[in-house]
Amino acid sequence: MDKQPKNTPTTRTPTRQMRVRARIVLVMVAVLFFAANIAKLCQLQLVEGKDWQKRAVSQQMSDTVVTAKRGPIYDANMQPLAESADVWKIIMSPKNIAACDWKRMEGVNENQALSNDEAVLLMRRRIATDLSEMFGLDYDKLYQQTGKIGSQYEVIQSKVEYKEKTAFAEWAEKNGLSKAFYIITDYKRYYPQGSLASTILGFTGTDNAGLEGLEAKYNSVLSGTPGRIITAQNGIGDQMPTDMEYTKVVDALDGYGLVTTINSTVQMYTEKYLAEAVESTGALHRGVAIVMDVNTGAILAMATKGDYDPNEPFTIADPDTKALVATLSGDEKSEAIYAARQLQWRNKAITDSYEPGSVFKVFTTAMGLEENLISENTTYTCTNAYKVEGWPYPIRCHVYPNKHGALNLPDAISKSCNPYFMQLGLKIGAPTFFKYFNGFGFTEKTGVDMNGEQDYRIFHSLETLQNSEASLATASFGQTFQVTPIQMITAMCAIANGGKLMTPYVVSQVLDAEGNVISATQPKVKRQIISEDTSDRICKILGDIVNGGGSKNAYVAGYRVAGKTGTSEKRATVENTEDVIASFSGFAPADDPQVAVLVLLDDPQTEIRYGGTLSAPVAQKIFESIMPHLGIEPSYTEDELNTLSRITPDVTGQTTSVAQTKVSNAGLKATLVGKGDKVVMQVPAAGETIPAGGTVLLYTEQTDAEAVTVPDFTGLTITEVNARASRLGLNVQMTGLVSGSADAAISNRQSVKEGETVLKGTVIEVNFYYQDTEEN
């Protein structure tokens, strides 16, 4: 009988418990899956949302920046000093090169079979070759740019002029490459008056941002707001078909304009005469001149020579420096270029300090008068030196070994006597001296609205002045401390305007793009330092010393200039003098001050280096040129009226008797040449300027006018010049010191060069000045 096997396999149905476990596992897997997805979504939405938005926008939008037009800068009469001219920027879209028609390129066989990659390679090479030649670019760099197939914005060339832009557009169209490029409007900064006021204006960089001067100080005002062109793209990066629906244009907002206080004509004269002086004196460390409205603080002109052309700011302007740099190489050359650029860009009028020397005696005088410690009749005696505690030997007067003797206040200023002012300074005392030194603004920035003003504070502390007679004594005549030129002229304006210290400024208005005034600068009085009475008394003294006193070389007929000269040592002590600063600071008219002028020549190389000899004549020429232009009417003395020039009347074609009468009525002399009864020619011609009492030659017959050779009129007295001119039949128009005590004046320049041939009767302008043999 067969037996059944014990372990025969059987089919087993899942139990209920097993099914429950399976469901739990599935639910847990599903929960974990959804939790992971939710967590990822949260990360994408909350943590990485902004980043993904940017990526989406970058893929869906083409965003092009539109440059804003930089605002103009005007002078006080709305003459442009800085403008923005239209130029263009050429942009390449490497991504779109593949969409161009390679078969249209010049020199290409359109029947050849090229794959897409080969066609793109051909076009990349053509672009790199042609544009590197067209714009002088590096081929390899340009070719590398063409390969950035994911980019739609590669700058090829900026600041492209109209002619270049037109040539490029024709090239792109001709070669079927237009789809790979676009041209957007850009702007180039332009300075229409060249180097005029360059150290005031500054310049911009390649990105149109201000780097120096007003361009940097007011960069945020001038820059404007860039615009944008945002264009939607489809999935493959092409623009959407309907521009109106998918393009957003945000217009650029042009920058605001500036109206400055600078008067271009005043600036031109100031730069002209300063540049001549820097060249003629060989001033090693440049020169400075500032012209300021004494009543408002408005700066009418500010010049530093040498300077540069802001249209080419990185070009070294000084020919000697440029030649020297050319001989260098490597790091030495780079360092020299950097130093030369920094020097020519620096506005010495506000960045550099100097010891003011005798000009400061004006302020010591103001202290004494305001505190009623002295009067015009206060007398001190100069024995050629003065001994003070803290100095190893008596401090000498500039006339040493001579002496001034007893001097009252006006004479002490006129003769610039150091011992007088040392004694006055000690009488004023340290606390009072320190109070007024601060009051005149010499220990703080003036607040002029320009970059780079320095606050040197190179002055003794009150404690030092109290404990050192030597420090107080030397400070009283303008040595052993330093100020900036802008501080000095601002303080001098306070002397002239009744005692008010003004805040100097250069920008008078800010204008929007339509010319509407956005803001205007109002003159600001910082504080009252001295009384109007003290101001008036000093103005009279300073007027007297220019009109016959120690600062005679600043004399201008009809305008009664007031001022003080200075010759300061550049060392901290008064011994072993080497380098000097020759300066003048003054204002006019003395009895109704309107405009102040400061002139500074740093380390002149002439034999005589006094401020009265070198700087005062520069100020004289500036005053003489700008006062009529500013509408300031002259007021002549009787002596000055007798030397005024006349205008020659037109007498050609008239009888000799009528002609002689007209010439005589004009205050001139007539000399007949020939035997005719009518005038056929006159020299000087009608309408020319001729000195009072000058001679007009009246020719009565057709003949060649007699010619003479111009002699050397320089280095002569007025009498000698007149005699030499009279012998040759020439008229001399004298300028400079030609009235009052002008017998000691010497001629230093003439309008027509020696050796030139002119007609007899021609007017030659000769200037006279005092060649000081001592500091005044």
Side-chain angles (χ1 to χ4, degrees):
M1 174 174 127
D2 295 334
K3 295 183 179 179
Q4 185 177 352
K6 294 181 177 180
N7 296 321
T8 303
T10 60
T11 301
R12 190 175 179 182
T13 303
T15 66
R16 182 173 179 276
Q17 187 177 11
M18 293 174 63
R19 289 197 294 272
V20 171
R21 289 176 180 175
R23 290 192 187 104
I24 290 173
V25 171
L26 288 174
V27 170
M28 291 179 66
V29 171
V31 169
L32 289 173
F33 174 80
F34 284 110
N37 279 279
I38 290 171
K40 185 64 176 177
L41 287 173
C42 288
Q43 181 183 8
L44 293 173
Q45 290 277 352
L46 301 178
V47 180
E48 301 177 2
K50 290 184 179 180
D51 183 57
W52 284 103
Q53 278 184 325
K54 291 179 181 179
R55 296 187 189 185
V57 168
S58 66
Q59 293 177 6
Q60 298 166 14
M61 298 288 182
S62 173
D63 191 350
T64 304
V65 175
V66 179
T67 305
K69 188 173 185 178
R70 193 172 179 86
I73 302 177
Y74 300 104
D75 81 344
N77 297 311
M78 297 303 293
Q79 296 298 313
L81 297 174
E83 297 177 299
S84 291
D86 287 354
V87 288
W88 290 267
K89 183 183 293 184
I90 296 175
I91 309 298
M92 177 174 63
S93 174
K95 188 174 184 179
N96 293 339
I97 291 178
C100 294
D101 186 0
W102 66 269
K103 295 182 179 179
R104 289 174 53 191
M105 289 194 303
E106 286 187 328
V108 171
N109 181 4
E110 62 182 39
N111 295 320
Q112 62 182 318
L114 294 177
S115 66
N116 288 337
D117 289 344
E118 290 173 331
V120 169
L121 185 62
L122 181 65
M123 289 186 286
R124 287 178 59 197
R125 288 173 176 167
R126 172 58 62 87
I127 290 171
T129 299
D130 288 4
L131 296 191
S132 63
E133 294 177 359
M134 187 179 297
F135 297 117
L137 302 174
D138 180 79
Y139 173 90
D140 292 334
K141 182 179 179 181
L142 191 53
Y143 181 75
Q144 197 174 40
Q145 283 181 288
T146 65
K148 298 179 179 180
I149 59 174
S151 172
Q152 290 184 297
Y153 192 91
E154 294 293 318
V155 178
I156 298 301
Q157 185 77 326
S158 299
K159 312 299 182 187
V160 176
E161 302 287 349
Y162 177 79
K163 187 176 180 180
E164 292 177 301
K165 180 209 61 163
T166 303
F168 167 79
E170 292 175 352
W171 169 86
E173 177 63 28
K174 192 174 183 179
N175 286 276
L177 297 169
S178 296
K179 290 183 179 180
F181 297 93
Y182 52 100
I183 303 172
I184 60 176
T185 302
D186 198 358
Y187 301 100
K188 177 183 178 182
R189 204 58 165 168
Y190 172 62
Y191 303 89
Q193 301 196 51
S195 63
L196 189 78
S198 61
T199 54
I200 300 173
L201 298 172
F203 57 91
T204 61
T206 54
D207 60 353
N208 267 343
L211 297 181
E212 291 286 342
L214 293 181
E215 294 280 25
K217 176 70 175 180
Y218 286 88
N219 186 60
S220 61
V221 175
L222 293 163
S223 292
T225 304
R228 301 170 73 187
I229 301 175
I230 305 171
T231 305
Q233 301 173 157
N234 60 23
I236 61 173
D238 293 333
Q239 287 189 3
M240 300 292 279
T242 309
D243 288 341
M244 221 168 195
E245 184 178 353
Y246 296 103
T247 299
K248 173 68 174 176
V249 177
V250 179
D251 292 331
L253 299 178
D254 292 346
Y256 288 165
L258 303 180
V259 180
T260 69
T261 58
I262 301 301
N263 184 304
S264 289
T265 302
V266 175
Q267 182 75 26
M268 180 271 292
Y269 282 124
T270 301
E271 291 193 17
K272 176 180 185 293
Y273 296 128
L274 178 64
E276 290 175 356
V278 169
E279 182 177 359
S280 64
T281 64
L284 291 182
H285 302 292
R286 307 198 294 170
V288 168
I290 307 174
V291 182
M292 187 182 292
D293 185 320
V294 302
N295 296 304
T296 66
I299 295 173
L300 309 182
M302 179 184 285
T304 299
K305 290 293 181 180
D307 52 5
Y308 63 98
D309 184 348
N311 292 298
E312 298 179 352
F314 295 95
T315 299
I316 298 174
D318 181 68
D320 293 335
T321 303
K322 189 174 183 178
L324 176 62
V325 169
T327 65
L328 305 176
S329 60
D331 292 342
E332 189 178 17
K333 183 172 185 177
S334 298
E335 291 172 3
I337 290 174
Y338 175 81
R341 288 171 175 169
Q342 293 298 316
L343 178 65
Q344 69 183 21
W345 296 342
R346 195 168 76 234
N347 186 349
K348 189 178 176 74
I350 63 175
T351 62
D352 291 14
S353 65
Y354 72 107
E355 295 189 58
S358 293
V359 173
F360 191 80
K361 292 169 183 174
V362 173
F363 303 98
T364 305
T365 298
M367 300 175 197
L369 290 175
E370 185 67 16
E371 293 293 319
N372 293 315
L373 297 173
I374 58 169
S375 71
E376 286 81 352
N377 297 320
T378 299
T379 301
Y380 290 115
T381 300
C382 170
T383 60
N384 75 30
Y386 190 74
K387 183 71 173 72
V388 294
E389 293 183 12
W391 206 262
Y393 50 83
I395 299 176
R396 297 173 177 178
C397 185
H398 65 84
V399 297
Y400 183 91
N402 298 319
K403 60 184 179 181
H404 287 124
L407 294 171
N408 62 21
L409 179 61
D411 285 341
I413 298 178
S414 179
K415 297 181 184 299
S416 204
C417 178
N418 290 345
Y420 186 103
F421 285 93
M422 284 189 276
Q423 294 174 79
L424 175 55
L426 294 175
K427 184 174 183 178
I428 292 170
T432 302
F433 192 96
F434 194 78
K435 179 184 75 171
Y436 280 98
F437 192 89
N438 287 331
F440 277 110
F442 291 121
T443 58
E444 63 186 8
K445 292 183 179 181
T446 64
V448 64
D449 53 339
M450 301 181 71
N451 280 342
E453 183 180 11
Q454 296 300 309
D455 184 9
Y456 284 96
R457 295 182 180 272
I458 302 178
F459 189 60
H460 310 288
S461 66
L462 176 57
E463 183 180 3
T464 300
L465 289 180
Q466 289 176 319
N467 296 328
S468 171
E469 275 195 358
S471 296
L472 180 56
T474 52
S476 298
F477 61 83
Q479 292 281 181
T480 67
F481 68 88
Q482 294 187 358
V483 300
T484 61
I486 189 67
Q487 286 177 325
M488 175 53 71
I489 194 170
T490 303
M492 187 61 75
C493 286
I495 293 290
N497 67 18
K500 300 182 293 292
L501 186 70
M502 308 299 296
T503 299
Y505 63 99
V506 179
V507 174
S508 60
Q509 292 180 331
V510 176
L511 308 178
D512 66 15
E514 285 71 44
N516 301 309
V517 177
I518 300 301
S519 65
T521 304
Q522 298 300 323
K524 180 181 178 182
V525 180
K526 279 189 174 182
R527 53 186 168 268
Q528 185 84 27
I529 313 165
I530 57 175
S531 65
E532 288 190 16
D533 178 66
T534 299
S535 171
D536 291 342
R537 292 163 72 184
I538 298 177
C539 287
K540 183 181 184 308
I541 294 172
L542 296 182
D544 289 342
I545 70 172
V546 171
N547 296 268
S551 298
K552 295 181 285 288
N553 280 331
Y555 166 83
V556 179
Y559 287 107
R560 192 168 169 75
V561 174
K564 182 72 183 78
T565 61
T567 310
S568 56
E569 299 151 356
K570 294 182 68 174
R571 291 190 165 200
T573 64
V574 294
E575 59 180 334
N576 300 325
T577 303
E578 293 181 359
D579 298 347
V580 301
I581 297 284
S583 66
F584 171 89
S585 185
F587 47 87
D591 53 356
D592 182 22
Q594 300 294 318
V595 61
V597 172
L598 177 142
V599 175
L600 181 154
L601 298 172
D602 193 342
D603 197 12
Q605 299 301 294
T606 52
E607 183 178 354
I608 297 176
R609 301 187 292 169
Y610 298 129
T613 303
L614 303 182
S615 297
V618 181
Q620 183 264 337
K621 286 185 277 187
I622 293 173
F623 276 123
E624 185 177 47
S625 300
I626 70 173
M627 299 287 272
H629 173 75
L630 295 174
I632 302 173
E633 295 294 332
S635 178
Y636 296 103
T637 64
E638 186 174 345
D639 285 344
E640 289 170 342
L641 285 171
N642 292 332
T643 63
L644 287 180
S645 59
R646 305 288 191 265
I647 302 299
T648 52
D650 185 0
V651 296
T652 302
Q654 299 183 2
T655 63
T656 55
S657 59
V658 171
Q660 286 177 302
T661 300
K662 284 190 173 183
V663 170
S664 178
N665 289 341
L668 303 171
K669 299 175 183 177
T671 298
L672 296 175
V673 180
K675 298 180 179 180
D677 57 0
K678 282 188 177 183
V679 177
V680 297
M681 183 177 67
Q682 66 181 80
V683 180
E688 289 194 18
T689 301
I690 185 172
T695 300
V696 181
L697 299 181
L698 305 178
Y699 289 85
T700 62
E701 296 175 351
Q702 290 291 348
T703 182
D704 292 335
E706 185 177 350
V708 295
T709 301
V710 176
D712 182 5
F713 284 118
T714 61
L716 306 176
T717 65
I718 291 176
T719 301
E720 291 170 334
V721 168
N722 276 330
R724 187 168 293 187
S726 179
R727 286 195 298 269
L728 295 171
L730 295 171
N731 288 296
V732 174
Q733 178 65 59
M734 300 180 186
T735 61
L737 296 170
V738 294
S739 69
S741 58
D743 292 340
I746 301 296
S747 56
N748 66 334
R749 67 178 187 272
Q750 60 193 75
S751 60
V752 181
K753 292 181 180 179
E754 174 190 4
E756 290 193 13
T757 301
V758 299
L759 296 179
K760 198 171 185 179
T762 296
V763 179
I764 311 294
E765 184 178 288
V766 180
N767 187 76
F768 292 84
Y769 82 119
Y770 282 93
Q771 187 171 6
D772 292 333
T773 56
E774 59 182 49
E775 177 189 357
N776 286 305

